[in-house]
Amino acid sequence: MKIRVALLATLFLGIGLFSSAHAKLLVITADRLIDVESGEVLERPLVIVENNVIKTVGKQNRMAIPEGAQVLNLEGQTLLPGLMDMHVHLTSDATKHGYKRLAVSVPRAAITGVKHAEKTLMAGFTTVRNVGAPGFTDVALRDAINDGDVLGPKMFVSGPSIGVTGGHCDNNLLPYDYHQYSEGVADGPWEVREKVRRNIKYGADVIKFCGTGGVLSKGTKVGVQQYSQEEMDAVVAEAHLRGLTVAVHAHGTDGIKAAIKAGVDSVEHVSLLDDEGIELALQHGTYFSMDIYVTEYILGEGEQAGILQESLDKERVVGTRQRANFEKAVNAGVKMVFGSDAGVYPHGDNGKQFARMVRFGMTPMQALQAATINPATLLKQQDKLGSISAGKLADIVAVKGNPLEDMALMESVTTVIKDGVVVKYAE
Ligand SMILES: [Zn+2]
C-alpha cells in the first residue's frame, strides 16, 4: 500500500506540475456520502474537488465527469468529512508514562510528534486540536506540516497547558531537591494572564488549562478543583480578549462547573459530572469532549507503559463514572465533540472511540457529527471544515461498507484526502 500511496502522490504531483496554469480537478465517486450537516445520507454521490476546495457535491447519474479530471472510484465505500479529534498529544509517546517520560527531552518529543502526525492522518484524522505539549513542540510540528516538510493533520495547538503549582498540569514526580516545575505553572489572576499571553506569543491557537486534579498526575486528587473561580475567570477572559478559544481539563464536579461559569469553550474528560453541570453546559453552550475509550488502554496496558499505581486506582473510579455521565450528557442534548486523549494511548487508534460512543449512548450519526461538524464549529472553522460541502476545504475520507451500520469500520479508513491531495488510498 505504501507503494500505491507513493504512486498516487507522484501522479497527482505530476498533474500539478504539468498543468499549473489550469485548475487541478479530482472527481470522487462512492456508494454513499454522509451529510453530517443534515444528518442524512446521499446515495451514489459524485464529488468534484478543484485544487484544495470542494467545488460540487451531487449524484452520479445527474452529473458529467469534467474533462481532464482524475477519477477516484470508491466502489462499495462511504465518503465522510475528514475526521477531527479535539484532544490529542501528538508529541507524547503512549509507551512512556510516569518516570519513563522524565527521560524524554523536548527535541526528542518533537521528533516523536512527526511519526504520530502521519499515523493520525493515515487513520483519517485530517484535523486535530493538540491540548498540551512541552516546549512548544506542537507549534513546531504544526508549522512543519503547514510548510509541507512532514505529513500530518491540520493542527490547532495550545502550547504548554496552564496549571497551578503542584496540580495536574505541573510535574510532581521528583522531590523538592530537583526544583522541577512544568512551564505552564502559574498562580493568581495576573500570572495566569501572563501565561496566556506567553502562549500566544509563541504560537498557540487555543488555550488549555487544568481545572481539577487528574488521573495520570502524581499526588493530585482527581475530583478536586484546581484554580479558584477568580483565576479561571482570568484565563478565559484573557484568551477570549485575544480571540482564542479555551479548553479546560476537568474531571471533578466543582471544577467542571466553575470552568463553565468562567466561560470555557470546551470541557475535557468531564468524568464526575452532576445534573447542575449538565444544566450549566446547556445554558452556556459549552462543548464536552469525553475520552471514553482511553480507560481501556490505561487499565489494560498502562502499568507496562509506566503508569503509576495511584493513577490506575484513580482510573478505575473515574472511567466507569465517565461512561455513565457520557450517556446522561448525550441524552440531555449537550454539544459533544470527539476527543480521544491519544498520546495517553497509541496514536492512530483514535477511531476506536467511535464504537464506544455508540455503545455508551450516541446514535451512529451523532458520533460522526461529534468528529466532524461539531469540532469545526467549536474551532470556529465551520466555513472551511467539518462537512463535504461546496466551498469547504477538500478534507475527505472513505471507509468500506456503511459506518452507520457498523461503527467499527471507522477504525479502518481506506482513503484520506487532505486539502485535495490523496495521501492514502487502498482498494
Ligand atoms: Zn490530555
Side-chain angles (χ1 to χ4, degrees):
M1 198 202 73
K2 274 243 143 96
I3 294 162
R4 293 199 76 98
V5 171
L7 276 174
L8 260 164
T10 316
L11 188 67
F12 287 110
L13 192 69
I15 287 157
L17 285 175
F18 293 116
S19 61
S20 54
H22 307 285
K24 194 186 85 178
L25 290 175
L26 169 67
V27 170
I28 312 151
T29 63
D31 278 20
R32 66 192 71 76
L33 179 152
I34 309 288
D35 181 347
V36 292
E37 285 183 295
S38 68
E40 280 164 15
V41 176
L42 178 68
E43 302 289 341
R44 314 296 309 169
L46 188 149
V47 179
I48 302 175
V49 171
E50 185 178 312
N51 298 322
N52 62 336
V53 175
I54 297 164
K55 199 180 168 198
T56 320
V57 181
K59 302 266 282 178
Q60 284 165 32
N61 53 5
R62 294 189 205 144
M63 284 167 67
I65 291 173
E67 210 180 312
Q70 278 299 305
V71 182
L72 207 54
N73 284 317
L74 301 172
E75 192 71 37
Q77 302 201 37
T78 302
L79 299 181
L80 300 132
L83 306 173
M84 305 174 78
D85 189 334
M86 290 298 97
H87 193 126
V88 302
H89 304 277
L90 289 182
T91 59
S92 296
D93 183 341
T95 66
K96 294 191 181 84
H97 281 286
Y99 287 92
K100 290 186 180 183
R101 197 162 278 187
L102 281 179
V104 181
S105 68
V106 166
R108 184 70 186 85
I111 293 168
T112 294
V114 171
K115 180 177 77 176
H116 294 153
E118 183 170 349
K119 277 193 169 179
T120 303
L121 180 63
M122 292 306 158
F125 289 81
T126 53
T127 300
V128 298
R129 189 177 61 165
N130 204 86
V131 281
F136 296 94
T137 46
D138 50 356
V139 170
L141 184 58
R142 176 199 66 196
D143 293 349
I145 292 167
N146 290 346
D147 288 346
D149 291 350
V150 299
L151 267 184
K154 293 183 175 77
M155 289 180 74
F156 292 82
V157 307
S158 71
S161 302
I162 299 168
V164 301
T165 298
H168 178 67
C169 286
D170 196 358
N171 190 323
N172 315 313
L173 291 166
L174 297 172
Y176 167 74
D177 318 43
Y178 291 87
H179 303 290
Q180 200 203 14
Y181 289 90
S182 291
E183 56 206 307
V185 167
D187 301 295
W190 280 108
E191 253 190 52
V192 299
R193 280 182 184 265
E194 191 274 333
K195 284 291 175 192
V196 170
R197 292 168 185 176
R198 180 176 178 271
N199 282 358
I200 294 171
K201 171 181 160 92
Y202 292 114
D205 305 297
V206 297
I207 295 300
K208 156 87 180 290
F209 77 92
C210 284
T212 73
V215 171
L216 299 178
S217 49
K218 187 180 173 203
T220 69
K221 293 186 176 71
V222 69
V224 166
Q225 182 171 338
Q226 295 176 354
Y227 275 137
S228 63
Q229 186 71 56
E230 187 187 12
E231 287 165 313
M232 289 192 191
D233 291 348
V235 175
V236 177
E238 187 65 34
H240 284 174
L241 186 71
R242 301 291 301 277
L244 276 70
T245 54
V246 183
V248 65
H249 158 104
H251 286 285
T253 318
D254 295 338
I256 292 167
K257 292 189 279 194
I260 296 172
K261 285 178 194 160
V264 297
D265 299 275
S266 73
V267 185
E268 312 299 303
H269 313 300
V270 215
S271 308
L272 309 176
L273 176 70
D274 66 0
D275 291 345
E276 195 191 352
I278 290 176
E279 263 324 298
L280 282 167
L282 290 170
Q283 274 169 33
H284 286 77
T286 318
Y287 286 83
F288 283 175
S289 162
M290 301 177 74
D291 50 339
I292 57 170
Y293 166 70
V294 71
T295 185
E296 293 173 44
Y297 180 81
I298 292 175
L299 297 179
E301 286 155 78
E303 196 173 357
Q304 176 80 5
I307 291 178
L308 307 176
Q309 187 57 51
E310 67 160 270
S311 296
L312 299 173
D313 294 341
K314 285 193 268 190
E315 184 58 42
R316 279 189 194 97
V317 178
V318 162
T320 316
R321 293 278 302 277
Q322 187 194 34
R323 288 175 161 198
N325 286 327
F326 175 81
E327 185 163 10
K328 282 177 88 173
V330 169
N331 290 340
V334 176
K335 294 195 272 184
M336 306 293 282
V337 289
F338 185 108
S340 69
D341 218 353
V344 172
Y345 74 90
H347 296 278
D349 281 359
N350 314 53
K352 288 186 177 177
Q353 189 169 278
F354 281 107
R356 277 73 179 178
M357 290 168 101
V358 171
R359 192 191 307 161
F360 293 101
M362 278 185 173
T363 65
M365 186 61 79
Q366 282 177 319
L368 296 176
Q369 288 165 330
T372 52
I373 192 65
N374 298 4
T377 311
L378 167 62
L379 293 171
K380 304 187 193 301
Q381 302 289 317
Q382 68 273 24
D383 54 334
K384 290 188 214 122
L385 305 174
S387 64
I388 305 179
S389 317
K392 290 200 185 187
L393 294 175
D395 290 350
I396 299 169
V397 301
V399 297
K400 251 179 211 168
N402 186 354
L404 296 174
E405 285 161 12
D406 179 8
M407 284 306 277
L409 294 173
M410 297 305 295
E411 296 165 27
S412 330
V413 166
T414 61
T415 302
V416 181
I417 299 163
K418 185 195 165 203
D419 291 317
V421 177
V422 183
V423 292
K424 180 183 181 180
Y425 170 69
E427 273 170 12

